[in-house]
Amino acid sequence: IRGKSVMVTGGGGSIGSEICRRVAAFGAARLLVIENSEPAMYAIQEQLAAAETAAVVEGHIADVRDRARVMEVMAAFKPDVVFHAAALKHVPVLERDWAEGIKTNIFGSVNVADAAAAAGATAMVMISTDKAIDPVSILGVTKRFAEMYCHALDAERVSPMRLISVRFGNVLASNGSVVPKFKAQIEAGGPITVTHPDMVRYFMTIREACDLVITASSHALGPERSEVAVYVLNMGQPVKIVDLAERIIRLSGLEPGRDIDITFIGIRPGERMHEILFAREEPTAEIGIDGVVAAHPVNPPIDVVRAWLAKLEHAIAREEREAIFGVLRDALPDFRGEAA
């Protein structure tokens, strides 16, 4: 990162803004923040200015879904490394507004990858999720599709750019995380709402997630670089959500069941009880970096992925739900989502 020009999409979000802060701390020469939210972009630029970083920081309003705009901004900035954090990520929201998830998470990622390659970047890192494995949700299937495109493009080696993905689970205190929600519910006197008593999730802090994203990118570009396309962050043992809720209640000086009740509201659309870190057909390997494991997913060639994209784009334009979900199931046969 030191001395490099770095671009972060979704740079005002909880993950993107921490990547910006870490990139600046690690000595980037130039940093470009891309955001479709003006307040979010302004906030991270103010934070970076207050930190008095050496990096020259720019910010541009742009939506990754706008291919021409992304191409224009990327061509002008000419980044060395691109961190692609822009995404729609709330599982129940995307189950309802699934077309928006496809436009942002799939086509937005394609736009960023193509623009990065055209601009001569040396690496692009896509932030993915454990929900991409055997996906049951729109979030999962769109992220896995974006992974496949990046990896297929990487395998083609038509440019020297490396394209990798980094998967992690729930990030504590990120936008939409259960921790701020639980705290707000406690401050309101309860109850805390949990979907199911047996629901478990992997957790890590924002700092851990972002440092490991940057570490993975440096490994992909290092002298020992391999054909690794997916880096999976080791998050330790999964945590029961109800145990987390009880712990936060006690950390607030209160007693579960006496001062604050816990109510179970049922699993929401697109959710599953346990997340999966690796697919059955994915061999894994240690890469000599604590907290990071390499996965080797089976991916189709780029011409196959582009054919699916063409069908998907056509079906989205015509709002043909069955055709859209048909393409998603062709690409990912394990996907069990339905057109609602």
Side-chain angles (χ1 to χ4, degrees):
I1 295 297
R2 184 174 300 280
K4 300 291 180 64
S5 296
V6 180
M7 173 174 163
V8 183
T9 71
S14 49
I15 300 297
S17 61
E18 181 62 20
I19 291 176
C20 289
R21 285 187 286 270
R22 301 307 287 154
V23 161
F26 292 153
R30 300 163 65 228
L31 171 61
L32 175 62
V33 181
I34 294 295
E35 253 299 337
N36 70 347
S37 165
E38 183 185 44
M41 186 185 73
Y42 179 79
I44 183 59
Q45 286 188 278
E46 288 292 290
Q47 290 170 27
L48 292 170
E52 297 181 347
T53 65
V56 177
V57 180
E58 299 178 42
H60 282 300
I61 299 293
D63 193 321
V64 294
R65 288 154 61 153
D66 185 339
R67 186 175 178 86
R69 175 66 173 154
V70 172
M71 286 283 186
E72 171 197 11
V73 169
M74 199 94 72
F77 186 73
K78 295 189 179 349
D80 297 308
V81 182
V82 176
F83 292 100
H84 177 42
L88 296 176
K89 66 173 190 173
H90 293 282
V91 171
V93 172
L94 293 188
E95 290 304 296
R96 183 189 66 227
D97 295 331
W98 47 265
E100 302 308 304
I102 292 169
K103 293 172 188 174
T104 295
N105 295 352
I106 295 180
F107 289 104
S109 299
V110 168
N111 293 341
V112 173
D114 289 350
T122 57
M124 172 184 152
V125 183
M126 194 195 85
I127 310 301
S128 190
T129 170
D130 54 6
K131 295 170 178 61
I133 308 305
D134 295 340
V136 298
S137 64
I138 287 296
L139 172 60
V141 76
T142 55
K143 282 292 191 177
R144 182 68 188 103
F145 201 116
E147 280 186 11
M148 288 196 303
Y149 183 80
C150 289
H151 306 160
L153 202 60
D154 184 69
E156 282 292 288
R157 294 287 190 267
V158 291
S159 79
M161 182 175 76
R162 286 301 319 272
L163 292 98
I164 66 169
S165 299
V166 178
R167 293 182 194 147
F168 45 77
N170 291 39
V171 179
L172 291 166
S174 63
N175 292 336
S177 166
V178 295
V179 174
K181 180 178 180 179
F182 286 171
K183 286 182 177 180
Q185 289 177 330
I186 290 169
E187 289 171 4
I192 277 185
T193 54
V194 175
T195 53
H196 192 283
D198 296 324
M199 176 90 60
V200 298
R201 289 292 182 267
Y202 291 95
F203 286 97
M204 66 193 315
T205 67
I206 292 177
R207 175 65 63 85
E208 285 175 325
C210 296
D211 277 2
L212 287 172
V213 165
I214 295 171
T215 300
S217 68
S218 68
H219 179 269
L221 290 170
E224 73 284 12
R225 61 182 280 178
S226 65
E227 299 306 307
V228 176
V230 177
Y231 292 79
V232 182
L233 307 187
N234 182 357
M235 292 162 283
Q237 293 301 311
V239 177
K240 270 192 173 185
I241 301 296
V242 67
D243 291 348
L244 180 64
E246 290 176 352
R247 195 174 306 173
I248 292 173
I249 292 171
R250 291 194 174 99
L251 286 170
S252 302
L254 304 168
E255 187 63 28
R258 186 188 69 193
D259 303 310
I260 301 289
D261 289 330
I262 296 176
T263 302
F264 297 105
I265 59 174
I267 296 176
R268 299 173 298 179
E271 290 185 324
R272 56 188 171 194
M273 295 291 288
H274 304 83
E275 297 296 356
I276 307 166
L277 294 182
F278 304 100
R280 292 181 298 276
E281 70 279 7
E282 278 186 342
T284 61
E286 298 291 333
I287 60 171
I289 299 174
D290 271 350
V292 185
V293 178
H296 298 273
V298 178
N299 288 308
I302 190 66
D303 57 334
V304 173
V305 180
R306 283 185 172 137
W308 285 329
L309 281 168
K311 290 179 182 177
L312 201 55
E313 188 172 25
H314 181 80
I316 284 280
R318 293 173 176 267
E319 299 182 355
E320 296 171 344
R321 295 183 179 188
E322 290 303 325
I324 292 164
F325 278 77
V327 174
L328 295 177
R329 283 189 288 270
D330 284 346
L332 294 155
D334 289 335
F335 177 53
R336 299 188 294 275
E338 298 294 335

